[in-house]
Amino acid sequence: MTTNRFLKTLALPVAAALGMFAASCSNDDNILDEQQPSAAKYEIPVTVSATRSGNDASTRAVYDSGTRKLTFEEGDQLFIQGTDATAGTFAGLLSNTAGAPGTFSGTLTTTNAYTGTFEALFTSATTLTATLLPKDYSTNGNGYLTLSGEGASQTLTVDATKAFVTAASADAAKKLAIEQLSLERATAYSSGFALTPVNAVLNYTLSGLTASTSINVTVSDGSTTVSGSATADGNGTASFAVGIVPSGTTTSYMMTKGGDQTIEFRANLSANKVYNITRSAAGSSDCLSGVFSVASGKTVKFSKGNLKATLDGSGNVTAWSFHDTQYGMVNTAAGTQSFTSSSIDLFGWSTSATLYGINSSTNSNDYSGDFLDWGAAASKNLGYGWRTLTSTEWTYLLNGRTSVTNRYCKATVNSVPGMVIFPDSYSHPSGPATITSANTTGVDFPTNTWSGDNWTAMETAGAVFLPAAGYRVGTDVYSVGLCGYYWSSTASNVNASYAYNLNFGGGFVNPTESLGRCNGRSVRLVQNLN
């Protein structure tokens, strides 16, 4: 018996992940030839030693903070497939050699009679790929290879889309994301995502779910969308990965869970990297206690204050937050909100063209495109589930709750003019003055005046206050204390550069005002209850 060894780099994407194969086998034994019965398979024994090289170094520090690298484990498998002018289509599933986790042994099956060595086959193959099946992943058994016919008429069908089926743990799912990054192959993750070939991975961990339940998830960059499902473990945490092809520019990725915006991830993504993104699906402690109907059978809770973005000197968001009080505002009088200042709370309408309206353009046409919810951005700092009310919901809130005696009123709270909105069920505290002119548009803010202490009692009872924070054009702020403007998520059908907002002042309340998208308005987010 003779032994041949070779050292060769595969000229395929797999080279970046598996680097070089060092191989050994017998050329004289166990080689099947045309003397076998016609129904037998053409099989070639293979033993290869796989080592990682190439781009994989960029993933090592991401996956294992302890060892800072990936290592082969006993239980890993290697799926090889390719084509050759003589052998035809060939494929095989190789398993670890006991006690040598980086060494894989098995059999390649060919559609045509082939009597050469697998080393020669690898050298002459016109296509050749190898896929690593990490430990803790179940495979699809014989679903990879379907051999039909006899003798020279055999047909070998290779189904590489069934490479991965289920993961035994969240840790295994995370490992697969990294293997997938290196291999750059089309496949499906344990969560059921159907992916195109990728060279970067968004690796999500979503906590705060109901333990052991399945969730439907969609991830989109605005043009490409992938959908799948993920299953929470016993602690209510689900891990799943999405492959992407970086555009080279800053891109916003949105994740939705059951139709609600949950995560915004924005970065200048690079190839050959894994991005670990952790978010909570639990309800936020920043919700107020009052319950408000915004449609028949649909209720929400409001955030504790208007939305605020903290900026760096270049106008990039470093954090999202709510004002500490419901009457809190960046501007207490007319002035400016520039994008080199520490924070802003008056936003243009949010689209991908002018992300979250953090833009000083005074041309509403610059804000074209579909709405991007501020709630998705806020999830990075404020938790899961925040969203912006639609124009129809603002209208129902103020005018549609006919069974609610006091739906809203104009008021001055802690010396700040604005509008109070009362929950579906509300008992006015004994200390504050009685509510007057409820549900009345044509009155001014001093009609009801409550101190800060009065308001604390009303807030505890569930009331919401929207301060008259004015509006912004460019960097200039106007009408602070005179008018309140609150964006909806609804584009106006009047013009592609218009959107609806709630507008109120001394003598009017209009929940469906249509204005140019360039105008900076306040944003008050809500969370769904049902």
Side-chain angles (χ1 to χ4, degrees):
M1 182 175 72
T2 61
T3 299
N4 289 336
R5 300 182 64 84
F6 82 105
L7 197 63
K8 177 181 182 299
T9 300
L10 299 181
L12 292 162
V14 72
L18 299 179
M20 298 180 176
F21 280 170
S24 65
C25 74
S26 167
N27 290 337
D28 301 326
D29 298 334
N30 301 318
I31 300 298
L32 304 180
D33 57 27
E34 294 183 56
Q35 301 302 313
Q36 64 186 323
S38 60
K41 301 177 182 178
Y42 301 111
E43 295 180 336
I44 308 171
V46 179
T47 296
V48 297
S49 294
T51 59
R52 288 180 169 85
S53 65
N55 293 329
D56 204 62
S58 64
T59 71
R60 288 173 176 163
V62 179
Y63 172 58
D64 191 329
S65 60
T67 63
R68 304 188 70 78
K69 65 179 181 179
L70 291 168
T71 58
F72 289 113
E73 297 178 80
E74 194 163 328
D76 292 345
Q77 292 179 299
L78 195 65
F79 179 55
I80 296 177
Q81 61 176 316
T83 56
D84 177 77
T86 302
T89 302
F90 61 88
L93 186 63
L94 312 183
S95 300
N96 279 330
T97 300
T103 302
F104 297 84
S105 297
T107 301
L108 292 181
T109 302
T110 67
T111 53
N112 301 334
Y114 185 81
T115 58
T117 64
F118 81 89
E119 295 100 324
L121 180 61
F122 283 177
T123 301
S124 63
T126 53
T127 64
L128 178 63
T129 62
T131 302
L132 183 66
L133 310 182
K135 180 184 177 182
D136 296 328
Y137 272 80
S138 63
T139 65
N140 204 40
N142 294 327
Y144 300 119
L145 314 174
T146 302
L147 191 65
S148 59
E150 295 183 355
S153 65
Q154 291 180 110
T155 300
L156 180 67
T157 302
V158 179
D159 186 356
T161 65
K162 297 178 181 178
F164 308 113
V165 181
T166 57
S169 66
D171 187 62
K174 186 173 290 186
K175 178 179 178 180
L176 176 57
I178 294 165
E179 301 296 356
Q180 178 72 10
L181 164 64
S182 300
L183 292 169
E184 299 184 353
R185 289 182 52 79
T187 187
Y189 286 104
S190 65
S191 55
F193 282 80
L195 305 178
T196 56
V198 299
N199 56 14
V201 169
L202 306 183
N203 190 32
Y204 290 103
T205 299
L206 187 61
S207 61
L209 301 167
T210 302
S212 305
T213 59
S214 178
I215 59 170
N216 293 320
V217 182
T218 299
V219 178
S220 174
D221 66 357
S223 59
T224 302
T225 299
V226 291
S227 299
S229 61
T231 301
D233 61 19
N235 296 318
T237 299
S239 295
F240 51 95
V242 177
I244 54 95
V245 179
S247 64
T249 59
T250 299
T251 305
S252 179
Y253 288 84
M254 300 292 175
M255 189 194 81
T256 63
K257 168 185 168 290
D260 294 330
Q261 293 284 355
T262 59
I263 290 177
E264 182 267 354
F265 178 67
R266 183 163 65 107
N268 191 343
L269 302 176
S270 300
N272 308 318
K273 291 193 180 294
V274 174
Y275 295 85
N276 292 319
I277 308 162
T278 301
R279 296 290 183 266
S280 173
S284 172
S285 60
D286 291 324
C287 276
L288 297 171
S289 62
V291 176
F292 298 79
S293 293
V294 293
S296 178
K298 187 174 186 179
T299 56
V300 301
K301 287 187 175 182
F302 279 84
S303 63
K304 68 178 184 180
N306 284 355
L307 185 65
K308 179 172 63 174
T310 301
L311 309 176
D312 62 19
S314 300
N316 300 309
V317 178
T318 59
W320 294 91
S321 61
F322 297 121
H323 280 284
D324 292 334
T325 64
Q326 293 202 59
Y327 43 79
M329 302 178 291
V330 169
N331 288 64
T332 58
T336 62
Q337 281 191 20
S338 71
F339 300 100
T340 57
S341 61
S342 59
S343 61
I344 66 168
D345 62 355
L346 297 173
F347 306 92
W349 207 62
S350 174
T351 70
S352 58
T354 46
L355 203 62
Y356 305 121
I358 303 174
N359 195 290
S360 59
S361 171
T362 57
N363 184 350
S364 290
N365 291 317
D366 291 338
Y367 297 73
S368 62
D370 294 332
F371 178 70
L372 292 180
D373 204 310
W374 287 280
S379 68
K380 291 189 292 185
N381 304 115
L382 301 172
Y384 156 75
W386 295 107
R387 70 175 182 88
T388 306
L389 290 174
T390 67
S391 179
T392 301
E393 288 172 334
W394 277 120
T395 300
Y396 188 94
L397 180 71
L398 299 183
N399 301 325
R401 297 181 299 154
T402 55
S403 61
V404 178
T405 302
N406 298 318
R407 296 189 297 277
Y408 68 89
C409 71
K410 305 285 185 60
T412 299
V413 171
N414 198 39
S415 301
V416 177
M419 184 166 69
V420 175
I421 305 177
F422 298 99
D424 294 356
S425 178
Y426 177 78
S427 296
H428 194 62
S430 58
T434 303
I435 303 166
T436 61
S437 301
N439 314 326
T440 303
T441 61
V443 296
D444 210 339
F445 300 116
T447 302
N448 295 281
T449 300
W450 291 299
S451 68
D453 289 341
N454 291 157
W455 177 248
T456 297
M458 294 173 63
E459 182 181 70
T460 301
V464 163
F465 181 66
L466 304 180
Y471 67 98
R472 175 181 57 79
V473 177
T475 59
D476 296 323
V477 177
Y478 304 94
S479 297
V480 178
L482 299 176
C483 295
Y485 304 85
Y486 286 78
W487 279 123
S488 77
S489 62
T490 308
S492 170
N493 59 6
V494 173
N495 189 296
S497 60
Y498 280 63
Y500 289 114
N501 71 152
L502 162 66
N503 178 213
F504 58 84
F508 61 92
V509 174
N510 184 358
T512 58
E513 182 183 45
S514 177
L515 284 179
R517 299 179 179 184
C518 67
N519 294 281
R521 306 294 194 224
S522 299
V523 172
R524 179 65 70 89
L525 299 179
V526 301
Q527 287 199 347
N528 290 341
L529 292 180
N530 56 7

